Structure formats: C-alpha cells, structure tokens
Amino acid sequence: MTSKPSPARAWTMRTQIAQALGNVDETTRGVVPPIHVATTYVRDPDNAYRSGYIYGRPDNATVREAEALIATMEGAADAIVTGSGTSAATAVFLALAPGDHLVVPKVMYWSLRRWLMAEATDWGLRVELVDTADLDALAAAVRPGETKLVWVETPSNPLWSLTDIAAAADIAHRAGAALAVDSTCASPVLTQPLALGADIVMHSATKYMNGHSDVVAGALATAAPGPLWERIRRNRTTLGQILGPFEAFLLIRGMRTMPLRVAAACASAAALAERFAGHPRVAEVLYPGLASHPGHAVARKQMKGGFGGMLSIRVHGGERAAIDAAARVELWKRATSLGGVESLIEHRASIEGEGSPCPTDLLRLSTGIEDVEDLYADLDRALRAAND
Ligand SMILES: *Cc1c(COP(=O)(O)O)cnc(C)c1O
C-alpha cells in the first residue's frame, strides 16, 4: 500500500513535484513507493474488488501515481499515461467519430502529421491543415457545428512557432469544438494549457517529463472529463495503450527533477540563441525567447519561467553545410528526439523526408544540462570547420 500525505498545506508545485506528491510505502515506510508489477488481483470473498484493481491492462497503481503527478502539474481533473506520445495523441483522434472535421497545424511533429494525412483519413476523419499561429486563418478553417477538434502544438517543431492557446480555445469553443494542445516542448513547467482554456493537453512524456532518454511514454490530461475524454479513457482500458509499470516508475523518477532540468535547458538555450544569432556561419536562429522571433509576444504571454530548451539554427551554405556541421560535433549527440539531459543536434529535414516543410539548412538543437560554454564551443568549432 502507498500512503499519501494529507494536504495540510498548499505546497508549491515545485515542492509537490520534487517529492512526487510525497507518496510513501506504508509497509516499509520507504520514501519511494514500490513498482507494482502484478497483472491480476485477488477478488474479495464476497466477489467485490475493493482495492479498485482487477487486471493490469486497464489500470496499475504505479501508473496511477504517475498520472496523479501529471494531473497535479497540469491542474487537471484527470490524467492518463500511455505507451508513447503518439499513442496518447492518436487516442484523442481515434476517440472522434467517422466524418468528424478536425483542424491541425501545417507545421507540427512530423510523424503525427504524416499519420493524420495518410491514416486518419482512412478512419473517416476529415483533416484540415492550417497555420494555427495565424488566428485569422485558424478562425476561418474552423467550421461551426462541424469541427469537433482543434489540435495545436506550441512551441511547434521545428520552427518553434507559437500558438496563442487562450485565443485558439476561444475560436474552438465558439464553433463547438474541443481544443487539444501538444505541449511536449513547453513541458508542464513552462505552460499550463488547461488553465488557458484547452480541453485536453498531450505530452510525449518521452521528452522533458522523463528527461533521461530511457523511456517512451505519453500523457493526456483534462480539466473537465466529458464524453470525448470518457471515450479516450474507455479506449485505453479496452485497447491496451497503458504504460508498463517499470516505465511508469522511471517516468515518476524523471519528473521529480523536471523543473530543475527544464530551467537549466531554458537558460542554456537562451544563451546559445543569443550567441548564435550573431554568428558568422548562422543565417538565422529560431528561438521564441528572441525578440526577433514571430512568436515572441505570445511566448511572453503564455510561457512562464523560460522559452524552452529547443531552438533551431539555419546555416549559411545550405543543406550540405548544415549536415557537415552536424557531422563535426563531438559533444552534441547527433540524434533525433529531445528533452533529455544530453544535448542533441539533428538535421531535421533528413528525418522528416519528402514533403516536409522544414528548411533543408536547418539544424534542430535540444539543449541538455551540460555546461553551456562547452556546448557553444563544440558547435562553434563544428560550424566554422564545415566552411573552411
Ligand atoms: C516526440 C514527440 C511526439 C511523439 O511522441 P513519442 O513519444 O515519440 O511517440 C509528439 N509530439 C511532439 C512535439 C514530440 O516531440
């Protein structure tokens, strides 16, 4: 059994996260609750299941601990974790009905966009792409009474454009649609979409939440469970998208340090953005924290405590120069993904492939928690060498 501390005081969010809500194992008084691995549970003699657990696919106590922590961070009434960020996102889309119209961003997490264009349509969903950062365009794309879901990603891959969540929620709600926000890159540390009016917030918990590049997981949270949410929950129970207990445990452990990791990544990303903005080999730096970034004003409004750990640089000399620079780094890891303690560099167009809106001279940077001077020196040398 796990005991929860009584909420005698309103501890701050950072305190609650640091202690993973203060759960203690009742049997041993261990400060870290055990990992619950059982797939099945003993029925009471009177045939009831008083513990609340019946079988491992619908539910698991370690998974519930992760969900409670996520719900607390997002100010949510309910949260669920799934086996990946993609399974969390698709759980939302697949809870819609055939014929439903949905509006999604033109520029968003690439493989999810590809799934929406290539597969979601086979389920009868009518998918419309729009630049969600442009509120007039968003308002024009949403069809009152017909659009059931507006999906936004902010800051969005790989240009880090910002969508005004409060305004998007307004537009969606006036048309009778729900707003879901992929908040992976902001993390719950920097943005709380539900407080801004979103109905559902989604995370690839693989990224900042876990933060150590060793768990693939997803999360969804809602402020007010309605019919759409109930269907998502039912689907997770019956279709089996639940995260495994070991992964849920690692995710909880990762989340305990998330505020510190995200703060460090934000500080370094901001410093790198400033320095590379004046770099002779760099044509453009894309970072919401720069006053020159088109999403800066919205970022100031809805991101608290930093502008994120993600930035992109566009390199003079085009695609070849960008790939060459990435080839020469020694400290940055040449890898996809983001949000881990180690810094990653990626020639994004190479992974997105045909039809990608990503410029070919773009390098995507996920800033980790290493010394920012080392990070700068390594990439500076790689950029200069690539052109010598
Ligand atoms: C990684 C990512 C996803 C997909 O998550 P997985 O855990 O890889 O399935 C979705 N959205 C964003 C913004 C991501 O970075």
Side-chain angles (χ1 to χ4, degrees):
M1 287 298 291
T2 302
S3 73
K4 274 184 202 272
S6 58
R9 288 172 206 250
W11 305 117
T12 66
M13 187 69 73
R14 179 163 162 178
T15 298
Q16 294 184 69
I17 297 171
Q19 294 203 358
L21 306 180
N23 291 333
V24 166
D25 173 37
E26 265 180 14
T27 309
T28 63
R29 306 300 291 155
V31 297
V32 176
I35 305 172
H36 295 275
V37 295
T39 56
T40 191
Y41 301 83
V42 176
R43 205 186 257 280
D44 299 330
D46 65 357
N47 228 26
Y49 270 116
R50 270 184 206 80
S51 74
Y53 296 97
I54 298 170
Y55 183 56
R57 189 188 65 234
D59 214 345
N60 172 276
T62 307
V63 167
R64 274 196 197 177
E65 281 173 31
E67 290 169 344
L69 185 51
I70 292 165
T72 301
M73 291 188 290
E74 290 290 5
D78 197 15
I80 58 176
V81 295
T82 61
S84 71
T86 303
S87 68
T90 52
V92 178
F93 297 120
L94 295 177
L96 298 170
D100 281 354
H101 179 253
L102 53 136
V103 175
V104 306
K106 265 189 186 150
V107 181
M108 66 184 290
Y109 180 68
W110 177 246
S111 97
L112 189 56
R113 181 180 183 272
R114 197 173 43 197
W115 179 83
L116 284 163
M117 301 314 293
E119 305 281 342
T121 47
D122 287 352
W123 290 85
L125 296 175
R126 289 179 299 142
V127 184
E128 188 157 337
L129 298 175
V130 68
D131 174 6
T132 57
D134 179 345
L135 295 173
D136 293 335
L138 179 60
V142 170
R143 306 180 193 166
E146 214 179 312
T147 306
K148 294 294 184 286
L149 180 76
V150 174
W151 182 273
V152 305
E153 177 183 323
T154 181
S156 77
N157 265 288
L159 309 176
W160 318 115
S161 58
L162 267 286
T163 294
D164 184 327
I165 296 171
D170 211 41
I171 290 168
H173 294 161
R174 270 191 276 126
L179 177 72
V181 179
D182 180 343
S183 193
T184 299
C185 293
S187 89
V189 179
L190 305 177
T191 307
Q192 260 92 40
L194 301 181
L196 295 167
D199 300 281
I200 293 174
V201 55
M202 170 254 152
H203 288 278
S204 167
T206 312
K207 315 295 170 51
Y208 288 103
M209 280 188 163
N210 181 63
H212 293 75
S213 308
D214 53 10
V215 172
V216 172
L220 294 169
T222 186
L228 178 64
W229 182 260
E230 294 310 332
R231 185 152 195 225
I232 292 168
R233 236 198 190 294
R234 221 168 34 247
N235 280 350
R236 197 199 65 173
T237 299
T238 49
L239 304 183
Q241 297 136 322
I242 196 168
L243 188 66
F246 288 104
E247 287 74 14
F249 163 76
L250 283 172
L251 177 57
I252 294 164
R253 188 169 68 169
M255 287 192 287
R256 292 171 76 140
T257 57
M258 180 167 57
L260 297 177
R261 289 186 283 102
V262 169
C266 284
S268 293
L272 293 173
E274 291 284 347
R275 287 172 79 174
F276 282 118
H279 195 281
R281 306 291 201 219
V282 174
E284 190 184 5
V285 175
L286 300 166
Y287 184 63
L290 293 178
S292 58
H293 192 274
H296 184 62
V298 175
R300 285 186 79 94
K301 196 171 76 164
Q302 73 186 23
M303 299 182 81
K304 306 287 177 216
F307 297 98
M310 298 302 299
L311 69 154
S312 295
I313 59 175
R314 299 187 63 179
V315 176
H316 281 307
E319 177 168 17
R320 194 67 252 161
I323 292 173
D324 283 352
R328 287 169 207 259
V329 292
E330 291 170 3
L331 179 60
W332 293 77
K333 298 279 178 278
R334 229 173 359 267
T336 195
S337 197
L338 60 97
V341 290
E342 62 285 296
S343 294
L344 306 179
I345 186 166
E346 181 178 41
H347 180 252
R348 190 68 194 164
S350 292
I351 197 154
E352 296 198 352
E354 199 69 24
S356 158
C358 178
T360 56
D361 59 3
L362 182 144
L363 293 172
R364 189 180 84 167
L365 308 179
S366 170
T367 314
I369 63 168
E370 306 93 333
D371 189 323
V372 67
E373 291 303 326
D374 289 337
L375 292 174
Y376 180 79
D378 187 44
L379 189 49
D380 171 55
R381 190 194 42 73
L383 285 164
R384 289 176 193 276
N387 288 270
D388 285 344

